Amino acid sequence: LLGRRTIDPELLDELEEILIMADMGVETVQNIFEQIRSDVRRNELKDPKALRQRLKECLLERLSIQPPDMDFRQKPFVILVVGVNGVGKTTTIAKLAHNLKKQGKSVLLVAADTFRAAAVEQLEAWGRRIGAPVIKHGMNADPSAVAYDGMEAAVKRNVDVVIVDTAGRLHTKVNLMEELKKIRRVLGKKIPGAPHEVLLILDATTGQNAISQARLFNEAARITSIALTKLDGTAKGGIAASITSEMKIPIRYIGIGEGMEDLRPFDPAEFVEALFS
Amino acid sequence: NLSGRLDAAFKRLKGYGKLSEENIQEGLREVRLAFLEADVNYKVVKDFIASVREKAVGQEVMDSLTPAQQVIKIVHEELINLLGRKFQGLNLAGRQPAVIMLAGLQGSGKTTTAAKLARWLKGKGRRPYLVPADVYRPAAIDQLKSLGAQIKVEVHPTEPGASPVDIARQAVSKAALANLDTVIIDTAGRLHVDEALMSELKDMKSVVEPQETLLVADAMTGQDAVNIANHFDKEIGITGVVLTKLEGDARGGAALSIRAVTGRPIKFVGVGEKLDALEPFHPDRVANRILG
Ligand SMILES: Nc1nc2c(ncn2[C@@H]2O[C@H](COP(=O)(O)OP(=O)(O)OP(=O)(O)O)[C@@H](O)[C@H]2O)c(=O)[nH]1
Ligand SMILES: Nc1nc2c(ncn2[C@@H]2O[C@H](COP(=O)(O)OP(=O)(O)OP(=O)(O)O)[C@@H](O)[C@H]2O)c(=O)[nH]1
Ligand SMILES: [Mg+2]
Ligand SMILES: [Mg+2]
């Protein structure tokens, strides 16, 4: 692309193709290119290099929503983790807990996925690895009851942070979204202000359905931030741009692997660079 | 929806007798947008539109249909043809016990699908044996054991820390001795670009020689579906696909992308978290979702 010496329709098509193939979505790409094309018409962009720079600025604008730091003066600080099936909720919780422990904080985990086979065992295995106790009930217990017990334990044990794992659920399943609303309410009943953070997990390989996921999870649980997982694959995670620009919800973290160290803070500039690499 | 948008695009077409390059241009543009919104891969869409254009140009507009309806009919037909008209079941002939190997990206639904397939096969009178060959993910072995218990299907007693290839080999021998006729191997989720893990899968395949190597793919996968499917097919060789989580509102364009790039049939779809939520693939359902 940098080899081209003039801005021509082919160059614009090529750039559009890159963004669509990055899962940025037709509407978002069209909006961005409306801006770009008007800049080109007004002769504000001299060459392909300037065009590419302008494009990156447009993308950065959409992605640079800075999340406020988590206020750990709230004790316990309660994080509720939600998302559809298989996106990486449980693994991201382990990574986050490990990170917080490295910062010297005490962490309690709550196994509120009472539905899926071996979900509790999975979180317990992670809990042992990172040194965080896990509050659990038996399989098919009421997740709200586990959430409530988790809050009681967090207060009793005077922990700094408590992270609640929930079952994967499709955002279109009304009864499951109602269950999530109930879990959220119950957390707040026991600890005023809880949950202080509602983290939506999105899989970077997901296409436009991520927008529907973000909307419906936000309606049900009031999402405060997002973690975008599996960016160590070849998917670019362009859905992030549509979601942050449309819903103004910040992306806090990215997942780049299956180990407990594989969590990074989201860096919009790095993300934009990766779109074009 | 698409038919509404095509009606608008073709408003000016009333009174013309034939579909031509010019008059279907805008209509095809609407189809392209709908397909991209449905997550069909950019390049697959390009090829698809080209073949639709070829079939549409020169066609007489039928009296019973509006031009929009006619174009939709051509698109729908082409989509069904591409997705695969006939249900292609599991090929379990040849050496017994038959072996089915499941592979795919992390979290796509392999372990759940393994149990669903076991339940399906049991219902068809076969005697399945579930093999947990994922020794990496915490509690993965427990997960398959728990699912196996739910449907009363025997699960291989995999020891954590064993080698996946050895597990697979031993499981097939054990199944033969126990007179179980269908071995279903659940493997660890892996990236298509992880050379070591793709190589492990290749080794496993050459040792157990499965009749079926099924790519388990998430229906909400975006543009990368082409990349993923291509790598799994080129490096491992797949015989079919299971598309999971289709009961949500994902448009499922990945189905067309995967089919277009590998030519392999989508054999089953996952339509829920419970073990009875597995259906033989029917192109109509997915075609209608992609068309929106
Ligand atoms: N490559 C890669 N794999 C990941 C990442 N995050 C999670 N995974 C893997 O994705 C799979 C699913 O992760 P889980 O943590 O079980 O996902 P979940 O959302 O809790 O799943 P459910 O509870 O079943 O809905 C596991 O194999 C994880 O190791 C990531 O950032 N990169
Ligand atoms: N809604 C829905 N969820 C499904 C379907 N199939 C599987 N799941 C769920 O998706 C999540 C991941 O399923 P798993 O079977 O653990 O996926 P996996 O591919 O084995 O994951 P890894 O072993 O970590 O790669 C679980 O929450 C399953 O219950 C489906 O058809 N619909
Ligand atoms: Mg989980
Ligand atoms: Mg699994």
Side-chain angles (χ1 to χ4, degrees):
Chain A
L1 285 178
L2 288 178
R4 287 176 184 276
R5 303 210 290 120
T6 56
I7 294 172
D8 53 21
E10 276 96 49
L11 175 62
L12 292 175
D13 283 349
E14 266 178 46
L15 289 170
E16 230 180 26
E17 180 174 334
I18 288 177
L19 294 184
I20 291 187
M21 301 252 298
D23 284 314
M24 206 155 281
V26 170
E27 199 176 323
T28 303
V29 174
Q30 282 178 345
N31 290 340
I32 293 175
F33 272 79
E34 248 167 68
Q35 279 180 259
I36 298 286
R37 281 173 210 274
S38 77
D39 289 355
V40 170
R41 269 197 303 273
R42 289 178 305 188
N43 265 314
E44 291 182 2
L45 298 172
K46 300 299 172 206
D47 54 31
K49 198 154 168 281
L51 172 75
R52 194 147 141 155
Q53 192 52 38
R54 180 78 185 106
L55 187 54
K56 288 184 181 174
E57 286 167 12
C58 288
L59 291 166
L60 265 176
E61 237 172 84
R62 279 166 174 73
L63 289 162
S64 298
I65 302 187
Q66 181 76 327
D69 285 342
M70 293 197 271
D71 183 6
F72 293 113
R73 289 170 307 176
Q74 314 249 18
K75 193 167 162 155
F77 187 89
V78 181
I79 304 173
L80 176 66
V81 178
V82 303
V84 303
N85 308 74
V87 293
K89 297 177 292 301
T90 306
T91 310
T92 301
I93 288 171
K95 295 173 183 178
L96 188 52
H98 173 66
N99 205 353
L100 291 166
K101 290 219 64 181
K102 282 203 294 190
Q103 294 173 30
K105 301 202 170 23
S106 57
V107 182
L108 178 70
L109 304 178
V110 180
D113 177 355
T114 58
F115 169 77
R116 206 208 70 209
V120 173
E121 287 82 339
Q122 185 186 7
L123 190 64
E124 282 188 305
W126 276 117
R128 282 191 294 273
R129 279 190 206 182
I130 61 179
V134 178
I135 299 298
K136 64 173 183 182
H137 288 193
M139 201 165 161
N140 291 320
D142 176 1
S144 291
V146 189
Y148 190 85
D149 269 5
M151 296 302 97
E152 279 204 318
V155 172
K156 208 181 250 153
R157 302 181 195 204
N158 199 24
V159 292
D160 295 315
V161 187
V162 53
I163 311 178
V164 182
D165 190 11
T166 60
R169 68 200 67 222
L170 291 188
H171 47 299
T172 46
K173 298 190 175 172
V174 177
N175 58 328
L176 296 183
M177 297 308 274
E178 285 303 311
E179 177 187 87
L180 191 58
K181 284 183 194 167
K182 182 170 179 218
I183 293 171
R184 194 189 199 290
R185 270 199 311 275
V186 161
L187 296 175
K189 273 213 177 93
K190 185 65 197 168
I191 296 179
H196 305 99
E197 187 79 8
V198 181
L199 182 63
L200 172 67
I201 311 295
L202 293 175
D203 185 328
T205 63
T206 305
Q208 299 312 299
N209 194 247
I211 299 176
S212 173
Q213 293 174 25
R215 277 193 201 131
L216 293 183
F217 270 97
N218 191 33
E219 269 174 42
R222 267 173 286 146
I223 304 299
T224 57
S225 66
I226 290 167
L228 191 61
T229 62
K230 308 181 196 172
L231 272 171
D232 46 318
T234 51
K236 301 285 186 170
I239 46 166
S242 319
I243 292 172
T244 51
S245 59
E246 174 181 326
M247 303 177 58
K248 308 288 182 258
I249 299 176
I251 299 173
R252 262 193 203 283
Y253 307 108
I254 60 171
I256 55 163
E258 301 189 68
M260 57 176 115
E261 299 286 344
D262 297 327
L263 191 71
R264 298 264 180 285
F266 178 69
D267 180 338
E270 213 171 64
F271 185 83
V272 171
E273 283 304 316
L275 285 173
F276 293 97
S277 62
Chain B
N1 65 0
L2 183 59
S3 60
R5 287 149 70 168
L6 283 186
D7 272 333
F10 282 122
K11 256 212 296 282
R12 292 171 281 114
L13 201 57
K14 285 192 167 60
Y16 285 83
K18 273 197 202 304
L19 298 178
S20 74
E21 275 285 356
E22 298 77 31
N23 64 28
I24 62 170
Q25 185 75 329
E26 200 172 328
L28 287 185
R29 189 176 160 276
E30 288 299 332
V31 174
R32 177 177 171 273
L33 289 178
F35 273 44
L36 287 176
E37 286 166 2
D39 289 323
V40 181
N41 180 269
Y42 189 93
K43 299 199 164 88
V44 173
V45 174
K46 225 175 190 169
D47 294 341
F48 184 86
I49 296 294
S51 61
V52 167
R53 175 178 290 115
E54 207 172 304
K55 292 198 165 67
V57 168
Q59 270 201 15
E60 294 288 340
V61 180
M62 297 178 203
D63 290 338
S64 53
L65 299 174
T66 65
Q69 286 171 332
Q70 183 130 352
V71 171
I72 290 210
K73 185 164 176 296
I74 297 168
V75 170
H76 190 261
E77 198 93 336
E78 185 67 5
L79 198 45
I80 298 279
N81 279 330
L82 260 181
L83 288 171
R85 279 186 178 286
K86 260 174 65 260
F87 166 51
Q88 299 223 22
L90 297 169
N91 162 33
L92 302 174
R95 207 170 78 185
Q96 297 297 306
V99 178
I100 301 170
M101 207 169 93
L102 299 183
L105 254 53
Q106 291 90 345
S108 62
K110 297 174 293 299
T111 305
T112 311
T113 300
K116 287 178 179 181
L117 281 172
R119 184 186 174 281
W120 165 275
L121 289 166
K122 198 174 168 192
K124 296 264 179 276
R126 293 192 69 101
R127 294 180 303 282
Y129 189 51
L130 282 168
V131 183
D134 178 356
V135 296
Y136 308 108
R137 169 174 154 156
I141 300 168
D142 291 329
Q143 187 184 1
L144 195 58
K145 283 193 171 144
S146 167
L147 293 177
Q150 283 180 34
I151 52 175
K152 301 204 174 44
V153 167
E154 255 205 78
V155 180
H156 185 72
T158 300
E159 283 299 318
S163 120
V165 178
D166 288 338
I167 294 164
R169 181 190 299 114
Q170 288 162 11
V172 175
S173 322
K174 233 170 173 277
L177 288 172
N179 197 19
L180 299 171
D181 59 22
T182 319
V183 177
I184 303 167
I185 305 175
D186 176 26
T187 64
R190 68 203 62 216
L191 295 179
H192 48 298
V193 291
D194 184 326
E195 292 187 15
L197 285 184
M198 290 302 273
S199 165
E200 172 191 277
L201 214 50
K202 228 182 292 184
D203 292 342
M204 188 185 292
K205 191 172 182 197
S206 63
V207 163
V208 296
E209 297 180 296
Q211 278 89 336
E212 293 279 0
T213 304
L214 302 176
L215 173 66
V216 178
D218 199 318
M220 59 187 186
T221 309
Q223 296 287 310
D224 211 36
V226 157
N227 222 353
I228 297 163
N230 212 12
H231 275 270
F232 273 93
D233 192 32
K234 292 271 172 352
E235 294 177 43
I236 315 297
I238 63 177
T239 55
V241 180
V242 179
L243 201 64
T244 61
K245 309 175 202 172
L246 198 63
E247 83 278 19
D249 62 350
R251 297 275 293 279
L256 184 60
S257 302
I258 293 173
R259 175 74 173 155
V261 84
T262 64
R264 309 298 177 188
I266 300 168
K267 299 206 169 192
F268 290 94
V269 293
V271 291
E273 302 181 63
K274 302 220 170 81
L275 298 183
D276 57 359
L278 186 74
E279 292 175 2
F281 175 68
H282 222 293
D284 283 330
R285 181 179 190 152
V286 173
N288 291 332
R289 297 164 71 111
I290 293 177
L291 287 175

